[in-house]
Amino acid sequence: MTIAANPATADTAAGDKVDDASITAQVKSSLFSHRSTSALHTTVTTTDGVVTVSGIAKNEAEKSLVTKLATDIVGVTSVINNMTIPVVMN
């Protein structure tokens, strides 16, 4: 018999918490499947439920949409959007 030093509590019971790799995969899938976002130009990382996205957005609307799509994923606690929007010179 083995006794755990830190038994699981209601907050951390096995299966309750979505792991970071799953969150990252779900965010990438969501970006890939949405016609108004470019998953190819977006990097996604997740640490303790905090999703960080970076890359190039076509415009402010795409940048905002990426944040919303990531926020809608189960397990995401917050989103840090470091995407840049290219400046168009005339």
Side-chain angles (χ1 to χ4, degrees):
M1 177 196 285
T2 303
I3 299 174
N6 295 319
T9 63
D11 292 337
T12 60
D16 285 349
K17 185 175 179 182
V18 179
D19 67 280
D20 291 337
S22 294
I23 292 171
T24 297
Q26 289 178 43
V27 171
K28 287 180 178 181
S29 177
S30 180
L31 296 177
F32 185 74
S33 64
H34 199 285
R35 65 185 173 103
S36 296
T37 61
S38 176
L40 300 176
H41 298 288
T42 307
T43 301
V44 180
T45 58
T46 307
T47 305
D48 296 329
V50 178
V51 175
T52 302
V53 291
S54 57
I56 300 171
K58 291 178 262 187
N59 50 42
E60 190 62 43
E62 181 183 23
K63 182 176 178 177
S64 295
L65 180 59
V66 167
T67 300
K68 176 169 181 354
L69 291 173
T71 302
D72 289 347
I73 303 297
V74 174
V76 173
T77 57
S78 65
V79 177
I80 300 169
N81 191 328
N82 293 329
M83 296 185 77
T84 58
I85 301 168
V87 177
V88 178
M89 299 284 210
N90 290 330

